[in-house]
Amino acid sequence: MLSLSILRRAPSPLFSPRGVDLDFPMLAGCLALLGLGLVMISSASTEVASVNTGSSLYYMIRHLIYVVIGLAAAGGALLIPLAVWQRLSGALLLAGFLLLVLVLIPGIGREVNGSMRWIGFGLFNVQPSELAKLFVIVYLAGYLVRRQDEVREHWWGFLKPFMVLLPMAVLLLLEPDFGATVVMMCAAVAMLFLGGVGLLRFGLLVILAVFAVYVLVQTQQYRMQRLITFTDPWADQYGAGYQLTQALIAFGRGEWLGVGLGNSVQKQFYLPEAHTDFVFSVLAEELGMFGALATVALFAFVGIRALYIGLRAEHAKQFFGAYVAYGVAFLWIGQFLINIGVNVGLLPTKGLTLPFLSYGGSSLVVTCASMAILLRIDWETRRQLGTEGYDFSEADFRDVEPPPVLKEVARGR
């Protein structure tokens, strides 16, 4: 009871003069995606869970636990002022580096499907790359606030963030996690552009980024194979193109209205990773084109709403909150575009989760915490703008001395 009273005295969107004061359209959109994700994980994982664990509800129960943990993390993040995130941005960046180093140490990091991306804690695994992406966004937002003029006017101010971003990208590639590297770098570049980097420097950066991606694809044979395969997956239908062809079959079976919730055939061991990276294909098969487009529209709403929160914060001159909101929005949008692009065959196959929907504890918890940070940014912006909606009565103005101009008007002069 004592801790609850302390929280009530602390300013936060959970305990404000208006009660729970949140951006409810944003919250509703995110909760709708969480609920849809829980339903689709429950449907897509029944067969593999039944064979692997003996219980068809195994992955659904674990995902539900992740949702509860994620919502608890979101509640905690709502209580943390943006000033605290800004003050701790350097420490969070160091923590991200430490986690990415630890995951590469044998005995600490866990190898799954040839990648060292997880640190095991008993029954649960933590994916450091998910935390590192968020910590980079927070750090870069703080840097853009501290060095805004330098970033806009000097090459050195523009290049210094890459002294941090490039080593982190190298650590991600060593796992290897090419998808997370691309999303993190794209979000960082977008933040720099919105921070005021000139078109010349931004254009040069884009050219260098494209060249770097080309080099990375050429240096690893499996990446080149994926790039070749996705252009014509049917040429190697039962080999390198198997996963993509099965995903496309799922889309074809769904047609307009779908085969019905729970009636997917592709989830029955035809489509690998049906409840993780390719959950959208199962959704399209069961809910049809209308269900898939409705899901895309919901993602678009959440992404645009996040950008709008950043824009409002920038207009209120809360630049740290604005840059964090932009960064989180681009992380979500980037992961969404890559995952959907992979599912429909527009991009090479890449292991990247779909925010809010895919199975995975670290991704879900970090996504929920990011949602809470956005809601906190919106609340602090509205407080500064004075739009909390206080009720006033005549007594509030009884002792207020009117300005001289109003006195003259009252006297008829």
Side-chain angles (χ1 to χ4, degrees), residues 129-253:
S129 61
E130 296 294 336
L131 290 168
K133 287 185 294 186
L134 179 59
F135 293 164
V136 164
I137 294 302
V138 173
Y139 173 79
L140 189 55
Y143 174 81
L144 288 173
V145 171
R146 295 191 306 271
R147 306 288 184 180
Q148 191 172 54
D149 293 337
E150 189 177 352
V151 169
R152 292 179 176 181
E153 298 174 6
H154 303 288
W155 279 93
W156 180 235
F158 164 68
L159 293 174
K160 276 196 290 189
F162 292 94
M163 298 175 64
V164 171
L165 293 171
L166 292 179
M168 185 161 284
V170 170
L171 290 173
L172 288 171
L173 291 172
L174 289 176
E175 295 184 3
D177 195 344
F178 185 67
T181 306
V182 171
V183 169
M184 182 192 73
M185 295 300 289
C186 288
V189 169
M191 290 176 67
L192 287 170
F193 178 71
L194 293 175
V197 171
L199 286 177
L200 175 62
R201 281 170 286 176
F202 181 76
L204 178 61
L205 179 61
V206 171
I207 295 173
L208 290 175
V210 172
F211 178 73
V213 170
Y214 173 79
V215 171
L216 289 172
V217 170
Q218 292 290 335
T219 54
Q220 293 291 336
Q221 183 61 34
Y222 77 93
R223 292 188 187 126
M224 193 63 190
Q225 184 62 38
R226 286 181 177 180
L227 187 62
I228 296 173
T229 301
F230 103 95
T231 58
D232 186 14
W234 304 100
D236 192 9
Q237 181 179 353
Y238 299 104
Y242 178 78
Q243 197 168 28
L244 179 54
T245 56
Q246 296 303 314
L248 295 176
I249 290 172
F251 278 91
R253 292 192 75 253

Side-chain angles (χ1 to χ4, degrees), residues 246-283:
Q246 296 303 314
L248 295 176
I249 290 172
F251 278 91
R253 292 192 75 253
E255 298 184 349
W256 288 103
L257 299 177
V259 298
L261 190 62
N263 294 327
S264 169
V265 172
Q266 294 305 104
K267 69 181 181 182
Q268 299 178 10
F269 301 100
Y270 291 101
L271 179 61
E273 308 295 338
H275 62 295
T276 55
D277 300 339
F278 282 84
V279 68
F280 189 76
S281 298
V282 178
L283 183 149

Side-chain angles (χ1 to χ4, degrees), residues 4-144:
L4 183 60
S5 64
I6 294 174
L7 289 177
R8 286 184 180 278
R9 287 197 298 269
S12 79
L14 294 180
F15 304 104
S16 73
R18 299 175 60 184
V20 178
D21 185 17
L22 299 171
D23 183 347
F24 284 103
M26 180 69 173
L27 180 62
C30 293
L31 292 181
L33 288 171
L34 278 176
L36 180 62
L38 180 60
V39 171
M40 293 314 305
I41 295 301
S42 303
S43 175
S45 65
T46 51
E47 302 297 330
V48 66
S50 181
V51 171
N52 291 344
T53 68
S55 171
S56 60
L57 300 179
Y58 176 79
Y59 291 113
M60 186 272 284
I61 293 172
R62 284 178 66 92
H63 191 75
L64 181 59
I65 293 173
Y66 293 146
V67 170
V68 172
I69 296 174
L71 292 177
L78 280 171
L79 301 176
I80 302 176
L82 292 180
V84 175
W85 289 102
Q86 186 172 3
R87 187 167 62 250
L88 297 178
S89 60
L92 292 174
L93 182 70
L94 291 176
F97 269 110
L98 178 61
L99 289 172
L100 290 178
V101 171
L102 288 176
V103 77
L104 298 174
I105 301 176
I108 297 178
R110 282 188 178 180
E111 183 175 349
V112 179
N113 295 330
S115 298
M116 296 278 287
R117 300 181 186 176
W118 295 269
I119 297 177
F121 292 94
L123 298 175
F124 300 96
N125 294 327
V126 174
Q127 192 170 358
S129 61
E130 296 294 336
L131 290 168
K133 287 185 294 186
L134 179 59
F135 293 164
V136 164
I137 294 302
V138 173
Y139 173 79
L140 189 55
Y143 174 81
L144 288 173

Side-chain angles (χ1 to χ4, degrees), residues 315-358:
H315 286 168
K317 301 191 182 304
Q318 292 191 351
F319 294 110
F320 176 76
Y323 294 138
V324 170
Y326 291 145
V328 170
F330 283 114
L331 281 183
W332 288 0
I333 293 170
Q335 288 189 219
F336 164 72
L337 291 177
I338 292 175
N339 186 279
I340 299 296
V342 167
N343 274 256
V344 300
L346 294 177
L347 293 173
T349 302
K350 193 77 224 93
L352 202 63
T353 58
L354 189 60
F356 295 105
L357 259 71
S358 293

